[in-house]
Amino acid sequence: MSMNEVPKMASSSVPRRHSSSVTTKIAHNFNPICQATQQLTLKGKFIITHNQSKSIPGKLISVQIYSGTDVDPETGKGKLSEKAYFKQGESMKHSHDAQTMIYKIKIHVDSNFGTPRAFAIQNKYKKKFFLQSASIETSSNGIIHYDINSWIYPIKKTKSDRLFFSNRCYLPSQTPRALVELRKEELDKLRGNGTGERKECDRIYDYDYYNDLGDPEKGPEHLRPVLGGTKFFPYPRRGRTGRKLSAAGPSSESRPQPMNFGIYVPSDERFAPNKLKELKSNCFHAMVHFLSPKAELLPERNSANFQSFEELLDMFSSNGSQTIEGWMKENLKKLIPFAYLKEITIANMENREQLPIPQIISENDLTWKDDMEFGRQMLAGTHPTRIECLTTFPPQNKYGVPSSIQKSIIEQKLEGWTLSQAMEQGRIFMLNHHDYLIPYLNRINGNGVCAYASRTLLFLRSDGMLKPLAIELSLPGPSPHLEIHRVFLPAKQGTQAALWQLAKTHVLANDAVYHQLISHWLCTHAVVEPFIIATKRRLSVMHPIHRLLNPHFKDTMHINALARLILLNSGGILERILFPGEICMHISCDLYKEWSFNEQGLPADLLERGMAVEDPDMNNPTGIQLLLVDYPYATDGLEIWVAIKEWVKDFCSFFYKDNEAIEGDVEVQAWWSEIRTQGHGDKHNDTGWDQMTTLSSLVEALTTLIWIASAKHASLNYGQYAYSGYPPNRPTLCRKFVPVEGTVEFGEFLKDPDKFFLKMLPDRFETSLAVALVDVLSRHTCDEVYLGCQQSPGWIDNEVIQNRFAEFKQDLKEIQARIMQRNRDPKLKNRRGPANIEYTLLYPDAATSSASTSGITGRGIPNSISI
């Protein structure tokens, strides 16, 4: 072994080789193809996106290998082999217009070359290609893996070769001398200099404000504030694109064409070809199915309402295979680029299978009205993270103004308990959508919608289900200290039952908006992006923490960029379908002020909401005790949290032998500092950031981050079609207030309560757009990698870590078996509820629980926020 090589930690370590022959091959499946004993084989696979019928000319692609042991005295870097060129590729498969190829090369090196630990690849072909993986096979060192999954652009565009390091991990202080300079140079390149417009081929990570949501060139009504960098509009940072500023609004970045999917993200963060193709296809199919039958309504927001519940159900029976011609075609052109219209037309004629009926109505189309189902969805629906235990009655706003709900009214419904007794036992709960909405309601309600702030109180019954007690709907009064309240009580029939249903619908609209804007977008997508940028800028790919986190960042920057382009922008989908309209992101900024990183882990979140208490039992790995035995999200989630934390602790303990090693890790300290001061710079003074000086603080931070990116996001995202796919169950806005007795509207309501209810819902276009959105968001894609899985078996060059990861995967399988067993327990009524929807959102692996692992499955925890 060379004196410059850090001792190998994997059990497969062998003495230094003395062969002089090296063979290279690039591959996706990582199954080694053995060559002659004295050869070293680099296996590779290229996914070709430009031409399905031709392979890349191998003579235009070259590779050079760096030694990880022996230093070139002239460069101070590892010795560099001669260039070798790819031979003719071997075709593997075709899918989604992309061709998979394997290319081989041979590189001859001196006998003292040492162990290959990096390689540089140069693309002189005119097109980019997607390199999935590489491996180097030597006669004495076994297989050395390179986990890549990145685009390789032509050298004419990039001006430099691409460098890749093997899957061996080193802390900065342990880096072999041959790799020290390469490690530093690569990080410097990834950070860039913070100037210039980013090109598609760039791999530069830096930060920017959200200054690209407005589009002032369309008119002053499309001006939007810059989010981030100010006390009034604090926000996490996004990846910088460097696009030119708009001439019409100098604080706003110019915008690319919507639906063009052409927005900069670093090339390592871009979707693989199959993923991009599938996402486009899903979008087109959803538009065709839900929008094309109503194309005559596309230009108008205030178009006709549904006239009956039968019309609503007809949305799911249309197969969307009608011809797109004439007026319909002209209006679709206004929504999407002409280049994509042909693809939509083709998709439309494929006569796609009928969409599944949303689960909330699949067995009984009236179950969504059930009060117990209303309460159950706060514990096991698509938004189980907002409900809290009520500890003070009556609830009051920040000015001390109390709720108008009377103790005497609700005490009659507590199964013999007094209110104080029920609260002492943790049996009174609240869904609170009051304080954050009140300041905005006058502005919101001036835009053609009707919104209240709301408080919903619930009682934990002896059977474990939540019974609604009362709903309070509030409007602003003449001053912040005065509000206009109306209280509604449950009723089984007659006028009061119909009014109660209208009040529930307003609560559900509140909850749908909070779910989409805050719990889903802000608290998973937006808050994770700065961690990704900091990881790529400050932690070398050779760093073990980079290796641990990278699978949990797959596709997140790209999907976030598309969200800014299509969903969050002025006039975008969320402004069209959510009742806050153009102030959606204002509300998101306000609630980011309350965000604290140390409250994002599941146990901390449950404690903060009063849904659990601290447990002094040292044998309880969660450290908490749930108030509700039957809280599916929390029960399942805590098991997954513990499994993640134990895996992270074992991983970190392997590389860090004491706290001093963490304090002395210059890359980790720079990473943590940059997250706090730049990525989440508006929160840098927040007390929710622990000092990164101990193993426990590192493990807690990493577990929290992995939890957010995997299980938390899965629980909030993949059940949307099941519950929000039927708009009456979770409408995104209301067009009428609950009528007041003695008014004309009350007379209209009495005449036909169902018709009044339908008029209160979003109109046809808004409804269709909302359902199309949740259809796309709820789908797993074909390249999904689930928690406990990796894209390649050689993702890290360490047998001890690989074995521990296999144990983590087994832990998750056992957790899934226990979840399935709980779902079969008839005593746990919230596991299915009146709608008979099994709680599967936290099944870790879709592959073991469903015949199909892609599409709308309602199960499986992807590693990352990938949609």
Side-chain angles (χ1 to χ4, degrees):
M1 179 184 295
S2 167
M3 295 296 291
N4 295 323
E5 173 85 335
V6 173
K8 297 181 181 180
M9 293 174 281
S11 64
S12 59
S13 298
V14 292
R16 182 175 141 190
R17 65 183 295 280
H18 294 284
S19 169
S20 61
S21 179
V22 179
T23 305
T24 319
K25 182 180 176 186
I26 300 187
H28 175 58
N29 58 13
F30 294 91
N31 293 323
I33 300 178
C34 298
Q35 302 295 322
T37 304
Q38 299 300 312
Q39 290 184 331
L40 208 155
T41 304
L42 177 69
K43 298 181 180 179
K45 178 189 285 186
F46 294 90
I47 299 178
I48 301 168
T49 58
H50 68 286
N51 192 324
Q52 188 172 333
S53 61
K54 295 181 180 179
S55 61
I56 295 176
K59 63 182 180 181
L60 298 179
I61 312 299
S62 64
V63 169
Q64 289 180 282
I65 297 176
Y66 281 95
S67 170
T69 54
D70 290 348
V71 179
D72 185 329
E74 294 184 6
T75 65
K77 305 173 185 177
K79 287 184 177 180
L80 187 62
S81 74
E82 64 183 12
K83 281 188 178 182
Y85 295 88
F86 285 6
K87 305 299 182 183
Q88 184 62 35
E90 173 188 346
S91 180
M92 293 271 301
K93 63 180 180 179
H94 296 258
S95 63
H96 291 292
D97 298 331
Q99 184 179 11
T100 296
M101 306 285 294
I102 289 182
Y103 288 86
K104 301 177 183 179
I105 61 174
K106 289 184 179 181
I107 303 177
H108 298 283
V109 296
D110 296 334
S111 60
N112 64 350
F113 184 78
T115 308
R117 287 296 175 204
F119 73 87
I121 187 168
Q122 186 181 100
N123 175 15
K124 289 188 175 180
Y125 187 52
K126 60 184 177 181
K127 299 286 187 179
K128 66 182 178 181
F129 57 83
F130 189 78
L131 180 57
Q132 290 192 342
S133 62
S135 61
I136 298 176
E137 183 182 351
T138 70
S139 57
S140 56
N141 285 56
I143 299 173
I144 298 170
H145 290 283
Y146 297 77
D147 204 16
I148 297 172
N149 293 295
S150 184
W151 292 93
I152 309 299
Y153 285 82
I155 187 69
K156 287 184 178 181
K157 293 184 177 181
T158 62
K159 309 301 181 187
S160 63
D161 296 352
R162 276 295 305 274
L163 180 67
F164 294 102
F165 295 98
S166 73
N167 291 355
R168 173 66 55 85
C169 291
Y170 307 97
L171 295 176
S173 61
Q174 299 172 343
T175 310
R177 192 159 65 89
L179 299 179
V180 169
E181 192 62 27
L182 288 173
R183 183 172 187 150
K184 179 180 180 298
E185 284 184 4
E186 182 71 357
L187 282 175
D188 287 343
K189 286 181 181 178
L190 291 170
R191 285 194 287 268
N193 60 12
T195 63
E197 182 173 356
R198 299 285 171 253
K199 302 185 292 291
E200 180 190 348
C201 61
D202 286 342
R203 291 174 64 240
I204 298 176
Y205 297 79
D206 47 13
Y207 303 95
D208 209 342
Y209 305 127
Y210 278 70
N211 64 345
D212 60 344
L213 301 183
D215 196 353
E217 293 180 9
K218 289 184 176 180
E221 68 276 12
H222 285 277
L223 282 169
R224 296 293 181 271
V226 174
L227 309 186
T230 66
K231 182 174 73 172
F232 296 105
F233 296 109
Y235 220 62
R237 304 300 186 259
R238 64 170 176 91
R240 181 180 177 276
T241 65
R243 292 193 303 269
K244 294 179 181 179
L245 296 178
S246 168
S251 62
S252 297
E253 215 172 57
S254 57
R255 291 180 55 78
Q257 190 178 29
M259 291 299 292
N260 195 22
F261 293 85
I263 185 170
Y264 171 77
V265 291
S267 57
D268 287 359
E269 312 305 321
R270 298 188 70 82
F271 295 155
N274 287 353
K275 169 70 173 279
L276 185 60
K277 180 77 175 180
E278 187 175 5
L279 181 61
K280 287 181 180 179
S281 175
N282 289 344
C283 291
F284 295 161
H285 278 302
M287 291 177 67
V288 164
H289 185 98
F290 291 111
L291 293 178
S292 62
K294 306 119 190 127
E296 71 276 5
L297 306 173
L298 287 175
E300 299 296 333
R301 175 166 177 151
N302 297 313
S303 52
N305 297 92
F306 289 97
Q307 298 301 304
S308 67
F309 288 104
E310 288 72 20
E311 282 189 14
L312 269 169
L313 292 173
D314 283 345
M315 294 174 63
F316 306 100
S317 61
S318 168
N319 63 20
S321 60
Q322 58 189 317
T323 304
I324 300 179
E325 292 294 345
W327 201 90
M328 181 188 299
K329 186 174 183 179
E330 292 303 312
N331 280 279
L332 280 172
K333 287 180 183 178
K334 297 175 183 178
L335 290 181
I336 58 173
F338 180 77
Y340 290 127
L341 188 58
K342 182 179 179 181
E343 293 186 56
I344 290 183
T345 303
I346 294 172
N348 196 42
M349 298 308 295
E350 286 178 350
N351 196 20
R352 186 188 183 200
E353 292 181 7
Q354 182 174 312
L355 285 175
I357 299 293
Q359 284 179 280
I360 188 62
I361 56 168
S362 61
E363 291 197 8
N364 184 332
D365 60 11
L366 295 179
T367 310
W368 60 275
K369 292 184 175 183
D370 189 283
D371 282 354
M372 295 300 105
E373 180 62 27
F374 175 66
R376 187 197 74 89
Q377 289 181 32
M378 301 177 198
L379 304 174
T382 193
H383 190 213
T385 60
R386 182 61 180 169
I387 189 170
E388 61 188 87
C389 184
L390 188 66
T391 57
T392 303
F393 188 89
Q396 52 187 249
N397 67 15
K398 62 181 179 180
Y399 300 106
V401 179
S403 163
S404 62
I405 300 175
Q406 298 298 310
K407 174 182 176 181
S408 58
I409 295 176
I410 63 172
E411 206 157 31
Q412 304 169 18
K413 306 174 184 295
L414 302 183
E415 298 183 355
W417 297 71
T418 66
L419 180 59
S420 59
Q421 288 172 336
M423 291 179 64
E424 285 174 9
Q425 295 298 313
R427 300 178 77 97
I428 304 297
F429 296 87
M430 178 170 64
L431 185 67
N432 188 1
H433 293 294
H434 181 275
D435 290 6
Y436 71 92
L437 275 176
I438 277 286
Y440 291 103
L441 287 180
N442 285 334
R443 186 173 172 186
I444 291 170
N445 291 334
N447 289 326
V449 297
C450 299
Y452 296 98
S454 66
R455 294 185 181 108
T456 304
L457 299 190
L458 306 102
F459 171 68
L460 178 62
R461 301 194 317 187
S462 56
D463 65 357
M465 299 196 78
L466 292 178
K467 178 175 74 173
L469 298 173
I471 290 173
E472 179 186 64
L473 301 181
S474 304
L475 292 171
S479 73
H481 301 279
L482 295 174
E483 295 177 5
I484 302 167
H485 302 295
R486 296 181 66 188
V487 176
F488 299 86
L489 303 176
K492 294 295 184 182
Q493 57 187 0
T495 300
Q496 294 306 310
L499 289 172
W500 170 248
Q501 186 61 50
L502 298 183
K504 283 199 299 181
T505 302
H506 274 278
V507 170
L508 291 165
N510 288 171
D511 200 59
V513 167
Y514 192 98
H515 164 249
Q516 204 65 271
L517 279 183
I518 310 304
S519 299
H520 183 198
W521 164 255
L522 173 64
C523 292
T524 63
H525 286 259
V527 301
V528 165
E529 185 159 350
F531 285 89
I532 300 173
I533 298 170
T535 299
K536 299 307 175 76
R537 285 166 54 88
R538 294 298 174 182
L539 297 180
S540 166
V541 70
M542 287 187 281
H543 198 291
I545 303 304
H546 183 124
R547 187 70 58 184
L548 173 71
L549 289 177
N550 198 53
H552 303 288
F553 296 155
K554 177 179 177 287
D555 294 342
T556 301
M557 286 189 70
H558 201 165
I559 202 66
N560 283 3
L562 294 179
R564 300 197 313 271
L565 189 64
I566 300 168
L567 298 181
L568 305 170
N569 57 302
S570 64
I573 290 176
L574 294 190
E575 287 194 3
R576 294 294 302 270
I577 66 174
L578 301 183
F579 70 75
E582 66 183 40
I583 61 172
C584 278
M585 299 307 288
H586 294 220
I587 294 174
S588 185
C589 282
D590 265 0
L591 289 165
Y592 178 61
K593 295 173 185 177
E594 302 175 6
W595 180 86
S596 182
F597 181 69
N598 68 358
E599 295 175 358
Q600 303 309 303
L602 181 57
D605 168 57
L606 293 168
L607 287 172
E608 178 67 19
R609 292 189 285 122
M611 301 300 288
V613 294
E614 293 184 355
D615 187 351
D617 184 355
M618 299 299 292
N619 294 320
N620 181 351
T622 68
I624 65 171
Q625 184 69 45
L626 290 173
L627 294 186
L628 289 84
V629 174
D630 190 11
Y631 186 179
Y633 163 75
T635 304
D636 299 354
L638 284 171
E639 286 206 53
I640 292 162
W641 167 271
V642 169
I644 293 172
K645 189 169 185 176
E646 289 178 350
W647 151 241
V648 170
K649 183 178 180 180
D650 289 348
F651 182 95
C652 292
S653 298
F654 183 86
F655 291 99
Y656 295 102
K657 302 310 179 185
D658 50 41
N659 292 335
E660 287 71 24
I662 295 172
E663 288 189 79
D665 187 331
V666 293
E667 288 186 8
V668 156
Q669 295 303 323
W671 170 74
W672 190 241
S673 175
E674 187 166 292
I675 287 166
R676 291 180 290 118
T677 60
Q678 294 188 57
H680 284 279
D682 298 332
K683 305 284 290 184
H684 69 279
N685 289 325
D686 192 274
T687 58
W689 303 105
D690 291 334
Q691 294 298 310
M692 194 57 67
T693 55
T694 65
L695 179 66
S696 61
S697 61
L698 177 62
V699 169
E700 188 71 18
L702 296 175
T703 303
T704 299
L705 184 54
I706 292 171
W707 162 260
I708 294 170
S710 58
K712 183 177 181 180
H713 178 261
S715 70
L716 293 166
N717 183 70
Y718 293 102
Q720 291 192 79
Y721 188 78
Y723 292 99
S724 304
Y726 186 62
N729 186 59
R730 289 185 69 79
T732 56
L733 59 83
C734 292
R735 294 224 166 263
K736 286 183 176 293
F737 292 112
V738 181
V740 178
E741 191 170 357
T743 63
V744 174
E745 284 217 326
F746 195 80
E748 179 187 346
F749 159 75
L750 289 177
K751 184 177 179 181
D752 192 337
D754 282 352
K755 187 173 183 180
F756 188 92
F757 176 86
L758 290 168
K759 285 185 176 181
M760 191 172 78
L761 294 179
D763 63 40
R764 290 174 184 266
F765 174 61
E766 292 155 348
T767 297
S768 301
L769 193 59
V771 176
L773 175 64
V774 298
D775 171 78
V776 173
L777 295 181
S778 300
R779 292 181 179 274
H780 291 286
T781 54
C782 61
D783 70 342
E784 206 82 87
V785 182
Y786 293 95
L787 192 64
C789 303
Q790 292 287 346
Q791 286 183 295
S792 67
W795 69 279
I796 192 167
D797 185 7
N798 187 288
E799 188 173 0
V800 173
I801 295 297
Q802 288 182 346
N803 289 341
R804 179 58 189 91
F805 186 75
E807 293 174 10
F808 173 53
K809 184 172 185 176
Q810 182 61 35
D811 289 344
L812 293 173
K813 286 184 177 180
E814 293 172 4
I815 289 170
Q816 181 154 315
R818 290 194 292 272
I819 294 173
M820 295 171 75
Q821 185 176 8
R822 286 194 289 269
N823 284 344
R824 292 191 293 268
D825 187 343
K827 295 179 182 178
L828 300 176
K829 296 183 180 299
N830 293 319
R831 287 278 159 184
R832 292 181 178 270
N836 197 27
I837 303 176
E838 192 176 17
Y839 190 70
T840 60
L841 292 172
L842 289 178
Y843 279 13
D845 186 3
T848 61
S849 55
S850 173
S852 173
T853 60
S854 62
I856 300 176
T857 66
R859 61 192 70 201
I861 301 174
N863 266 331
S864 63
I865 302 167
S866 56
I867 186 64

